[in-house]
Amino acid sequence: MTLSTLETLRLTIAAIRQRTGESQRELATALDLTQDKISRRQSGAQPWSLDEVDALARHWGMGPLDLLAGPTHAAQSMTWPPGTAAPAPVPATFTAPAPATVPAAAPAPAVPAVPAPASVAPVAPVAAPAVVAVPVPASTAAPVAADYDRAPDGEVLAHPAAPCEQCGRPVTHRIGGRPLHLGGWCTPAPAPVASAPAAEAGRAPSVAAPDSSPAAPAPPAPAITNSPAAAPSSAVHQDTRTVPTAKSRSEYASSGRELGFYLDMITTAVEQALEEHGGDTEAASAALEKKAIPNGMELFDKTRVGAAYEHTAYPERLEFLSKKSRNGADEIWEGRHKWENAPLMAALKAGADPVTVDVLDTNAAYCSALKTHLPIGALQHRPDGGWDPKRSGVYLLPKRPTWEHPELPDPIGNRHEAGPVLLDEATVRLLIRCHKLGLADAPHITEAWTSGASEGLLEKFRRVLTQARENAIHDGDTVTEKYVKAIYAKFASTIGESTYNRDIRRPDWMHIIRSQAFANLWYKSQRAHKAGLTVVALRGTDELHVTGGEWRKNMGGVFEEGRLTTQLKLKDQYTLPRTRNRSA
């Protein structure tokens, strides 16, 4: 299948953004466009113009035709970071052709110096600047823009592994008969003018460029593979990032950044705030709280680099998702909890024995709620209703679903208004779960406004915040813990219609995230009830009141005790029925 020019361009832009680590917002700023326009062009909803192609080519330091020639050629032709000089020619000792007497299938010599052609003066074993200044004829330049050697049928020829002439790592393919990595994904090493013993010993030369070299510094070599996704995005974080586990390495490989890169963003902000306020933790926490929205959005954008799709930041405004007044609310019905066990309260009032109630607190409720099914694009109206597990959005039900289990909280809260109700994705999925548990009828959906959905849209963002919070708790770092809490709390509260967050406007996301927090608390109440505990009350997103047995898992209960997001902690304890202090 042959790709069209526009399809090739979109693929090229995605590949270069993955290599440079640019977010859509950063690219939009460079092109004087909005993030939404970039998203529309990359999704195919709107074509890239020729003027924009010229601007992209200038931004990445290449010609327009190089940008249109495909991802591989464009990546080889680009100059990055923007504004830097073009890479210096590769030294002659690494660009001279292999001797004609060496067969194509034989391993190449380690890295011996090869005499330059007659038209070029021999390179003397002197300082690096003299080597760089030697002109290299075009015929001897490394074939960076070439393709791997192929057979007549077009298949890439495979050879015995031999050291790459530029980086020394094994390569099984050839370019012009020479063992080289395609696309410049390996970093050329400086000429081994003073390291003859090392070369004789069969060691690859160092990849660090001499400080005295006038050439632009080459990017650091990838640590594991030649894939552009594995190249570090910033040399600043290369030495300070946390050593990842095998699991986290695979999870974050799509963006070329490891977990430590994102944790460093949080750590750096905290250290800077403490330094600016002379170590005053209260003042530093207050300053970080003010920066939580822009810093949180920057962190979110970084975690979206390398994603398989682009979300819409400013979709078309829908009437029922708009506030009716400055301090008013829109029409979405969230499953807010302010519930008490009516049969238990009636029994206590009738003279039943007093009970001791444990108030259990959910840790980082809104952080955990970031793992939810969110719509990717703008919501589209579906007049026939229905529910699709691969989509997410807002649903219209003709009336409030019936709930007939007084010992468990109603999954959609305490409101009992008559007439149709608009519920978001998290609440509808909770109702469907209740139906599967045999607790309620399936929700009747007459209309829907949905888009393609993903449960992992905020997953990397959530995991970074979760890990940063756990590290702060382990280290007793209250400043970082408060800062992380401000990031996820303000993210959830300002991504709707807020004057404090101009980077995104997704009120549908806001409702779904908040409703997911309410739903998560309901799931905990159902687990407690199933384990034999009596659910006394539910409050907001984080308070679960239980009695009638032990709730700690290590003592035969159902919940683990602790401060992690998967655990609960004891917040308070009281006795029912409450007694009044008559002496007061």
Side-chain angles (χ1 to χ4, degrees):
M1 182 182 68
T2 304
L3 296 177
S4 68
T5 303
L6 276 175
E7 290 171 335
T8 303
L9 176 61
R10 295 188 193 104
L11 183 63
T12 301
I13 293 171
I16 293 179
R17 280 187 53 229
Q18 184 179 25
R19 186 179 185 190
T20 61
E22 286 183 286
S23 66
Q24 276 197 352
R25 184 170 291 103
E26 292 169 338
L27 184 59
T29 302
L31 301 183
D32 197 21
L33 296 173
T34 64
Q35 187 269 344
D36 187 51
K37 290 182 178 179
I38 298 288
S39 177
R40 290 179 61 81
R41 283 156 176 73
Q42 281 299 92
S43 66
Q46 187 173 346
W48 287 96
S49 69
L50 292 178
D51 289 339
E52 290 164 349
V53 171
D54 291 338
L56 283 167
R58 285 194 302 271
H59 175 59
W60 285 320
M62 68 179 78
L65 294 181
D66 294 322
L67 184 61
L68 297 173
T72 301
H73 181 82
Q76 296 160 359
S77 305
M78 68 181 293
T79 301
W80 190 258
T84 59
V90 181
T93 49
F94 285 89
T95 57
T101 57
V102 180
V111 277
V114 182
S119 58
V120 181
V123 179
V126 292
V131 177
V132 176
V134 175
V136 181
S139 60
T140 64
V144 232
D147 195 357
Y148 283 133
D149 291 353
R150 297 177 181 272
D153 59 356
E155 292 295 324
V156 176
L157 293 174
H159 298 270
C164 174
E165 291 185 9
Q166 293 187 359
C167 70
R169 290 193 297 274
V171 60
T172 58
H173 303 297
R174 302 291 183 268
I175 300 177
R178 300 159 53 198
L180 286 168
H181 286 111
L182 180 65
W185 300 125
C186 60
T187 304
V193 292
S195 57
E200 292 172 3
R203 298 196 299 267
S206 170
V207 298
D211 293 339
S212 58
S213 173
I224 297 175
T225 174
N226 289 319
S227 166
S233 60
S234 172
V236 175
H237 297 279
Q238 187 176 2
D239 297 330
T240 59
R241 62 181 59 172
T242 306
V243 178
T245 62
K247 181 179 179 181
S248 66
R249 190 183 295 277
S250 62
E251 289 170 349
Y252 294 89
S254 62
S255 64
R257 295 166 175 169
E258 297 170 352
L259 176 60
F261 172 84
Y262 305 102
L263 296 178
D264 282 347
M265 294 179 65
I266 296 175
T267 304
T268 302
V270 173
E271 291 176 350
Q272 183 179 354
L274 287 170
E275 183 179 353
E276 291 175 352
H277 294 85
D280 187 339
T281 57
E282 292 296 329
S285 295
L288 287 169
E289 187 173 352
K290 293 179 180 178
K291 297 179 180 179
I293 296 175
N295 290 2
M297 290 305 303
E298 181 184 4
L299 177 62
F300 169 61
D301 286 341
K302 296 296 184 185
T303 60
R304 293 296 297 158
V305 172
Y309 41 76
E310 296 290 348
H311 64 274
T312 303
Y314 272 80
E316 181 182 356
R317 186 191 299 264
L318 298 176
E319 183 62 28
F320 55 77
L321 284 171
S322 301
K323 293 182 179 179
K324 306 309 174 186
S325 63
R326 182 178 179 275
N327 297 319
D330 55 31
E331 300 176 29
I332 306 301
W333 188 341
E334 296 176 352
R336 297 174 180 271
H337 297 303
K338 191 177 179 181
W339 174 87
E340 286 186 344
N341 189 325
L344 174 64
M345 296 301 175
L348 291 171
K349 190 176 181 179
D353 294 337
V355 295
T356 300
V357 180
D358 291 334
V359 181
L360 307 184
D361 185 40
T362 300
N363 301 303
Y366 280 123
C367 186
S368 299
L370 296 178
K371 185 177 181 65
T372 186
H373 293 81
L374 294 175
I376 301 168
L379 302 184
Q380 304 295 327
H381 186 211
R382 304 181 72 179
D384 297 334
W387 181 76
D388 184 345
K390 295 182 179 180
R391 299 180 68 84
S392 175
V394 177
Y395 304 88
L396 178 67
L397 279 66
K399 63 177 182 178
R400 187 187 198 281
T402 304
W403 185 251
E404 299 176 348
H405 302 276
E407 72 281 359
L408 279 173
D410 194 317
I412 65 171
N414 292 30
R415 290 173 59 177
H416 291 276
E417 299 173 6
V421 292
L422 281 167
L423 303 180
D424 59 61
E425 185 69 28
T427 306
V428 168
R429 285 181 181 265
L430 175 57
L431 291 173
I432 293 172
R433 176 71 175 273
C434 291
H435 171 64
K436 291 180 179 179
L437 293 173
L439 299 174
D441 295 333
H444 178 209
I445 300 171
T446 56
E447 288 186 71
W449 292 262
T450 61
S451 172
S454 171
E455 191 178 16
L457 203 149
L458 302 178
E459 180 61 7
K460 190 183 294 186
F461 182 55
R462 181 189 69 85
R463 292 193 182 190
V464 170
L465 295 175
T466 300
Q467 187 62 54
R469 179 181 178 274
E470 291 181 5
N471 292 347
I473 292 173
H474 180 269
D475 298 337
D477 185 355
T478 57
V479 177
T480 300
E481 185 181 354
K482 291 179 181 178
Y483 176 47
V484 171
K485 180 178 181 180
I487 288 178
Y488 63 71
K490 289 179 179 291
F491 180 88
S493 62
T494 65
I495 59 175
E497 292 186 90
S498 171
T499 57
Y500 298 100
N501 190 342
R502 301 298 180 90
D503 293 324
I504 190 172
R505 189 185 68 223
R506 293 299 304 244
D508 49 342
W509 287 16
M510 178 193 69
H511 284 298
I512 293 172
I513 292 171
R514 291 184 353 189
S515 291
Q516 186 65 55
F518 297 130
N520 290 344
L521 185 61
W522 188 92
Y523 290 135
K524 290 179 175 64
S525 71
Q526 193 268 339
R527 284 180 58 195
H529 176 73
K530 187 177 179 181
L533 297 173
T534 300
V535 182
V536 178
L538 252 65
R539 295 286 185 271
T541 62
D542 54 6
E543 279 193 19
L544 171 63
H545 301 223
V546 295
T547 189
E550 181 55 57
W551 59 271
R552 296 171 180 85
K553 195 169 187 178
N554 60 352
M555 299 178 67
V558 63
F559 300 117
E560 290 188 2
E561 184 178 17
R563 296 189 60 198
L564 302 184
T565 54
T566 56
Q567 300 170 333
L568 298 181
K569 63 179 181 290
L570 184 63
K571 183 178 181 179
D572 193 10
Q573 195 174 64
Y574 60 90
T575 301
L576 286 178
R578 296 181 185 272
T579 57
R580 295 181 180 180
N581 187 357
R582 298 184 181 276
S583 62

